[in-house]
Amino acid sequence: KTARVFLLKGLLKCSDCGSFMTPHYTQKRHKDGSVYRISYYRCTKTMHFNNQACRIKHMNADHVERMVVQQLADLSQNDAYLEMSVEELNRDLTRKLEPLESEAKQLRKRIDEIELEIGRYVKALGLGKISVGRLEKEISRLEGDKEALQKRYDELQRRINEEAVRDYNAEIVKRNLQDFRKVFSALTPKEQAEALQCILKDVIAYPDKLALEVFEL
């Protein structure tokens, strides 16, 4: 018999302890003695400790997968909710950029200060206030500091630019969700799992709800 494909493998997380929920089976028997399997996702923490380690414990796989697919389908039809979700994603993105931009600003200021300091040493040499040996020593130190700061500054700018281009667009998100809804049911289970990996960043399981974080693609 072909092994069951767990559509949310690597996506479903427990809200109670933050652990991933791992695919599992439990075996049951029919009245005639034949064996059948029930598929579920079990909180990884309960596997390392015991069932009391987490409130969520486990979730029926068929049920939670149907809920996720239905929520994605519903989301693609709800313009107001989609706009609100995208606005919140963009606010989160702005909040993530603020500390990076603040650090980059401080680094740029320090790099400019070092360049001015180098200029002062060169001027002092011209006025005969310091020796060539002292100048070379101080310039070498300052250039070393500047190089390290510039490297960090360039890295921050790269990260800021990468994040900035991720500005979420509601129409793009909606279009991808609608395309997903049209073709999902026609896919094989393996293809369905791959499609969800592309659309969802993660799914957080709460005792009474699921929270989906959707990629813009």
Coordinates of all heavy atoms in Angstrom, one line a residue, residues 82-139:
L82 N -8.0 40.0 3.1 CA -6.7 39.8 2.4 C -5.9 41.2 2.5 O -4.7 41.2 2.8 CB -7.0 39.4 1.0 CG -5.7 39.0 0.2 CD1 -5.0 37.9 0.8 CD2 -6.1 38.7 -1.3
E83 N -6.6 42.3 2.2 CA -6.0 43.6 2.3 C -5.5 43.8 3.7 O -4.3 44.3 3.9 CB -7.0 44.7 2.0 CG -7.4 44.7 0.5 CD -6.4 45.3 -0.4 OE1 -5.4 45.8 0.1 OE2 -6.5 45.3 -1.6
M84 N -6.3 43.5 4.8 CA -5.9 43.7 6.1 C -4.6 42.8 6.5 O -3.7 43.3 7.1 CB -7.0 43.3 7.1 CG -6.7 43.6 8.6 SD -8.2 43.2 9.6 CE -8.3 41.4 9.3
S85 N -4.6 41.6 6.0 CA -3.5 40.7 6.2 C -2.2 41.2 5.6 O -1.1 41.2 6.2 CB -3.8 39.3 5.7 OG -4.9 38.8 6.4
V86 N -2.3 41.7 4.4 CA -1.2 42.2 3.6 C -0.6 43.5 4.3 O 0.6 43.7 4.4 CB -1.5 42.5 2.2 CG1 -0.4 43.3 1.5 CG2 -1.7 41.2 1.5
E87 N -1.5 44.3 4.8 CA -1.1 45.6 5.5 C -0.3 45.2 6.8 O 0.7 45.8 7.1 CB -2.3 46.4 5.8 CG -2.9 47.1 4.6 CD -4.2 47.9 5.0 OE1 -4.5 48.0 6.2 OE2 -4.9 48.4 4.1
E88 N -0.8 44.2 7.5 CA -0.1 43.8 8.7 C 1.3 43.2 8.4 O 2.3 43.4 9.1 CB -0.9 42.7 9.4 CG -0.3 42.2 10.7 CD 0.0 43.4 11.7 OE1 -0.8 44.4 11.7 OE2 1.0 43.3 12.5
L89 N 1.4 42.4 7.3 CA 2.7 41.9 6.8 C 3.7 43.0 6.5 O 4.8 43.0 6.9 CB 2.5 41.0 5.6 CG 1.9 39.6 5.8 CD1 1.6 39.0 4.5 CD2 2.9 38.7 6.6
N90 N 3.2 44.1 5.9 CA 4.0 45.2 5.5 C 4.4 46.0 6.8 O 5.6 46.5 6.9 CB 3.3 46.1 4.5 CG 3.3 45.5 3.1 OD1 4.2 44.8 2.7 ND2 2.2 45.8 2.4
R91 N 3.6 46.1 7.8 CA 3.9 46.7 9.0 C 5.0 45.9 9.7 O 6.0 46.5 10.3 CB 2.7 46.9 9.9 CG 1.8 48.1 9.5 CD 0.8 48.4 10.7 NE -0.2 47.3 10.8 CZ -1.3 47.3 10.2 NH1 -1.6 48.2 9.3 NH2 -2.2 46.3 10.4
D92 N 4.9 44.6 9.7 CA 5.9 43.7 10.3 C 7.2 43.9 9.6 O 8.3 44.0 10.3 CB 5.5 42.3 10.2 CG 4.4 41.9 11.2 OD1 4.2 42.7 12.2 OD2 3.8 40.9 11.1
L93 N 7.2 44.1 8.3 CA 8.4 44.2 7.5 C 9.1 45.5 7.9 O 10.3 45.6 8.1 CB 8.1 44.2 6.0 CG 9.2 44.2 5.0 CD1 10.1 43.0 5.3 CD2 8.7 44.2 3.6
T94 N 8.3 46.6 8.1 CA 8.9 47.9 8.5 C 9.5 47.8 9.8 O 10.6 48.4 10.1 CB 7.8 49.0 8.5 OG1 7.2 49.1 7.2 CG2 8.3 50.3 8.9
R95 N 8.9 47.1 10.8 CA 9.4 47.0 12.1 C 10.7 46.2 12.1 O 11.6 46.5 12.9 CB 8.4 46.3 13.0 CG 7.2 47.2 13.4 CD 6.4 46.5 14.6 NE 5.7 45.4 14.1 CZ 4.4 45.5 13.7 NH1 3.8 46.6 13.7 NH2 3.7 44.4 13.3
K96 N 10.8 45.2 11.2 CA 12.1 44.4 11.1 C 13.2 45.3 10.6 O 14.4 45.1 10.9 CB 11.8 43.2 10.2 CG 11.0 42.1 10.9 CD 10.7 41.0 9.9 CE 9.8 39.9 10.4 NZ 9.5 38.9 9.5
L97 N 12.9 46.2 9.7 CA 13.9 47.0 9.0 C 14.4 48.1 10.0 O 15.6 48.6 9.8 CB 13.3 47.7 7.8 CG 13.2 46.8 6.5 CD1 12.5 47.5 5.4 CD2 14.5 46.2 6.1
E98 N 13.6 48.6 10.9 CA 14.0 49.8 11.7 C 15.3 49.6 12.5 O 16.2 50.4 12.4 CB 12.9 50.1 12.7 CG 11.7 50.8 12.0 CD 10.5 51.0 13.0 OE1 10.6 50.5 14.1 OE2 9.6 51.7 12.5
P99 N 15.5 48.4 13.2 CA 16.8 48.3 13.9 C 18.0 48.2 12.9 O 19.1 48.6 13.2 CB 16.7 47.0 14.7 CG 15.5 46.3 14.1 CD 14.6 47.3 13.5
L100 N 17.8 47.6 11.7 CA 18.9 47.5 10.7 C 19.3 48.8 10.2 O 20.4 49.2 10.1 CB 18.4 46.5 9.6 CG 18.1 45.1 9.9 CD1 17.7 44.4 8.6 CD2 19.3 44.4 10.5
E101 N 18.3 49.6 9.9 CA 18.5 51.0 9.4 C 19.2 51.9 10.4 O 20.1 52.7 10.1 CB 17.2 51.6 8.9 CG 16.7 50.9 7.6 CD 15.3 51.4 7.3 OE1 14.6 52.0 8.2 OE2 14.9 51.3 6.1
S102 N 18.8 51.7 11.7 CA 19.4 52.5 12.8 C 20.9 52.1 13.0 O 21.7 53.0 13.1 CB 18.6 52.2 14.1 OG 19.2 52.9 15.2
E103 N 21.2 50.8 12.9 CA 22.6 50.4 13.0 C 23.4 50.9 11.8 O 24.5 51.3 12.0 CB 22.7 48.9 13.1 CG 24.1 48.4 13.4 CD 24.3 46.9 13.4 OE1 23.2 46.2 13.4 OE2 25.4 46.4 13.4
A104 N 22.8 50.8 10.6 CA 23.5 51.3 9.4 C 23.8 52.7 9.5 O 24.9 53.2 9.1 CB 22.7 51.0 8.2
K105 N 22.9 53.5 10.1 CA 23.1 55.0 10.2 C 24.2 55.3 11.2 O 25.1 56.1 10.9 CB 21.8 55.6 10.7 CG 21.8 57.1 10.8 CD 20.5 57.7 11.3 CE 20.6 59.2 11.4 NZ 19.3 59.7 11.9
Q106 N 24.3 54.5 12.3 CA 25.4 54.7 13.2 C 26.8 54.3 12.6 O 27.8 55.0 12.9 CB 25.1 53.9 14.5 CG 24.0 54.4 15.3 CD 24.1 55.8 15.8 OE1 25.2 56.2 16.3 NE2 23.1 56.6 15.7
L107 N 26.8 53.3 11.9 CA 28.0 52.8 11.2 C 28.5 53.9 10.2 O 29.7 54.2 10.1 CB 27.8 51.5 10.5 CG 27.7 50.3 11.4 CD1 27.2 49.0 10.6 CD2 29.0 50.0 12.1
R108 N 27.6 54.4 9.4 CA 27.9 55.4 8.4 C 28.5 56.6 9.1 O 29.5 57.2 8.6 CB 26.7 55.8 7.6 CG 26.9 56.8 6.5 CD 27.6 56.2 5.3 NE 29.0 56.5 5.4 CZ 29.9 56.0 4.6 NH1 29.6 55.0 3.7 NH2 31.2 56.3 4.6
K109 N 27.9 57.0 10.2 CA 28.4 58.2 11.0 C 29.8 57.9 11.5 O 30.7 58.8 11.3 CB 27.5 58.4 12.2 CG 27.9 59.6 13.0 CD 26.9 59.8 14.2 CE 27.4 61.0 15.1 NZ 26.5 61.1 16.2
R110 N 30.1 56.7 12.0 CA 31.4 56.4 12.5 C 32.5 56.3 11.4 O 33.6 56.8 11.5 CB 31.4 55.1 13.3 CG 32.8 54.7 13.9 CD 33.3 55.7 14.8 NE 34.7 55.4 15.2 CZ 35.7 56.3 15.3 NH1 35.4 57.6 15.2 NH2 36.9 55.9 15.7
I111 N 32.1 55.8 10.2 CA 33.0 55.7 9.0 C 33.3 57.1 8.6 O 34.5 57.4 8.3 CB 32.3 55.0 7.9 CG1 32.2 53.5 8.2 CG2 33.1 55.1 6.6 CD1 31.3 52.7 7.3
D112 N 32.4 58.0 8.6 CA 32.6 59.4 8.2 C 33.6 60.1 9.2 O 34.5 60.9 8.8 CB 31.3 60.2 8.1 CG 30.5 59.8 6.9 OD1 31.0 59.2 6.0 OD2 29.2 60.1 7.0
E113 N 33.4 59.8 10.5 CA 34.3 60.3 11.5 C 35.7 59.9 11.4 O 36.6 60.6 11.6 CB 33.7 59.9 12.9 CG 32.5 60.7 13.3 CD 31.9 60.1 14.6 OE1 32.3 59.0 15.1 OE2 30.9 60.7 15.1
I114 N 35.9 58.6 11.0 CA 37.2 58.1 10.8 C 37.9 58.8 9.6 O 39.1 59.1 9.7 CB 37.2 56.5 10.6 CG1 36.8 55.8 11.9 CG2 38.5 56.0 10.0 CD1 36.6 54.3 11.7
E115 N 37.1 59.0 8.5 CA 37.7 59.7 7.4 C 38.2 61.1 7.7 O 39.2 61.6 7.3 CB 36.7 59.7 6.2 CG 36.4 58.3 5.6 CD 35.4 58.3 4.6 OE1 34.6 59.3 4.5 OE2 35.3 57.3 3.9
L116 N 37.4 61.8 8.6 CA 37.8 63.1 9.0 C 39.0 63.1 9.9 O 39.9 63.9 9.8 CB 36.6 63.8 9.8 CG 35.4 64.2 9.0 CD1 34.3 64.7 9.9 CD2 35.8 65.4 8.1
E117 N 39.1 62.0 10.7 CA 40.2 61.8 11.6 C 41.5 61.6 10.8 O 42.6 62.1 11.1 CB 40.0 60.7 12.6 CG 40.9 60.7 13.8 CD 40.5 59.7 14.9 OE1 39.4 59.1 14.8 OE2 41.3 59.4 15.8
I118 N 41.4 60.8 9.8 CA 42.5 60.5 8.9 C 43.0 61.8 8.3 O 44.2 62.1 8.2 CB 42.2 59.5 7.8 CG1 42.0 58.1 8.4 CG2 43.2 59.5 6.7 CD1 41.4 57.1 7.4
G119 N 42.0 62.6 7.8 CA 42.3 63.9 7.2 C 43.1 64.9 8.2 O 44.0 65.6 7.8
R120 N 42.7 64.8 9.5 CA 43.4 65.6 10.5 C 44.8 65.2 10.7 O 45.7 66.0 10.9 CB 42.6 65.6 11.8 CG 41.3 66.4 11.8 CD 40.7 66.6 13.2 NE 40.3 65.4 13.8 CZ 39.0 65.0 13.7 NH1 38.1 65.7 13.0 NH2 38.6 63.8 14.2
Y121 N 45.1 63.9 10.7 CA 46.4 63.4 10.9 C 47.3 63.8 9.7 O 48.5 64.2 9.9 CB 46.4 61.9 11.0 CG 46.2 61.4 12.4 CD1 45.0 60.7 12.8 CD2 47.1 61.6 13.4 CE1 44.8 60.3 14.1 CE2 46.9 61.2 14.7 CZ 45.7 60.5 15.0 OH 45.5 60.1 16.3
V122 N 46.7 63.7 8.5 CA 47.5 64.2 7.3 C 47.8 65.6 7.4 O 49.0 66.1 7.1 CB 46.7 63.8 6.0 CG1 47.4 64.4 4.8 CG2 46.6 62.3 5.8
K123 N 46.9 66.4 7.8 CA 47.1 67.9 8.0 C 48.1 68.2 9.0 O 49.0 69.0 8.9 CB 45.8 68.5 8.4 CG 45.8 70.1 8.4 CD 44.5 70.7 8.7 CE 44.6 72.2 8.7 NZ 43.2 72.8 9.0
A124 N 48.1 67.4 10.2 CA 49.1 67.6 11.2 C 50.5 67.3 10.7 O 51.5 67.9 11.2 CB 48.7 66.6 12.4
L125 N 50.6 66.3 9.9 CA 51.9 66.0 9.3 C 52.4 67.2 8.5 O 53.6 67.6 8.6 CB 51.9 64.7 8.4 CG 53.2 64.3 7.7 CD1 54.2 63.9 8.7 CD2 52.9 63.2 6.7
G126 N 51.6 67.8 7.7 CA 51.9 68.9 6.9 C 52.4 70.1 7.7 O 53.2 70.9 7.3
L127 N 51.8 70.2 8.9 CA 52.2 71.3 9.8 C 53.4 71.0 10.7 O 53.8 71.8 11.6 CB 50.9 71.7 10.7 CG 49.7 72.2 10.0 CD1 48.5 72.4 10.9 CD2 50.1 73.6 9.3
G128 N 53.9 69.8 10.5 CA 55.0 69.4 11.3 C 54.7 69.0 12.8 O 55.6 69.0 13.6
K129 N 53.4 68.7 13.1 CA 53.1 68.4 14.4 C 53.2 66.9 14.8 O 53.3 66.6 16.0 CB 51.6 68.8 14.7 CG 51.4 70.3 14.6 CD 49.9 70.7 14.9 CE 49.7 72.2 14.8 NZ 48.3 72.6 15.1
I130 N 53.3 66.0 13.8 CA 53.6 64.6 14.1 C 54.6 64.1 13.1 O 54.8 64.7 12.0 CB 52.3 63.7 14.0 CG1 51.7 63.8 12.6 CG2 51.2 64.2 15.0 CD1 50.5 62.8 12.4
S131 N 55.2 62.9 13.5 CA 56.2 62.3 12.6 C 55.5 61.4 11.5 O 54.4 61.0 11.7 CB 57.2 61.5 13.4 OG 56.5 60.4 14.0
V132 N 56.3 61.1 10.5 CA 55.8 60.2 9.5 C 55.5 58.8 10.1 O 54.5 58.2 9.8 CB 56.8 60.0 8.3 CG1 56.4 58.9 7.4 CG2 57.0 61.3 7.6
G133 N 56.4 58.4 11.0 CA 56.1 57.1 11.6 C 54.8 57.0 12.4 O 54.1 56.1 12.4
R134 N 54.6 58.1 13.2 CA 53.3 58.2 13.9 C 52.1 58.2 13.0 O 51.1 57.6 13.2 CB 53.4 59.5 14.8 CG 52.0 59.9 15.5 CD 51.8 59.1 16.7 NE 50.4 59.3 17.2 CZ 50.1 60.4 17.9 NH1 51.0 61.4 18.1 NH2 48.9 60.6 18.4
L135 N 52.3 59.0 11.9 CA 51.2 59.1 10.9 C 50.8 57.7 10.4 O 49.6 57.3 10.3 CB 51.5 60.0 9.8 CG 50.5 60.1 8.6 CD1 49.2 60.8 9.1 CD2 51.1 60.8 7.4
E136 N 51.8 57.0 9.9 CA 51.6 55.7 9.3 C 50.9 54.7 10.3 O 50.0 54.0 10.0 CB 52.9 55.1 8.9 CG 53.5 55.8 7.7 CD 54.9 55.3 7.3 OE1 55.5 54.5 8.1 OE2 55.3 55.6 6.1
K137 N 51.4 54.8 11.6 CA 50.8 53.9 12.6 C 49.3 54.2 12.8 O 48.5 53.3 12.9 CB 51.6 54.1 13.9 CG 51.1 53.2 15.1 CD 51.9 53.5 16.3 CE 51.4 52.6 17.5 NZ 52.1 52.8 18.7
E138 N 49.0 55.6 13.0 CA 47.6 56.0 13.2 C 46.7 55.7 12.0 O 45.6 55.2 12.1 CB 47.5 57.4 13.6 CG 48.2 57.8 14.9 CD 47.5 57.1 16.1 OE1 46.3 56.7 16.0 OE2 48.2 56.9 17.1
I139 N 47.2 55.9 10.8 CA 46.5 55.7 9.6 C 46.2 54.2 9.4 O 45.0 53.8 9.1 CB 47.2 56.2 8.3 CG1 47.4 57.7 8.3 CG2 46.5 55.7 7.0 CD1 46.1 58.5 8.2

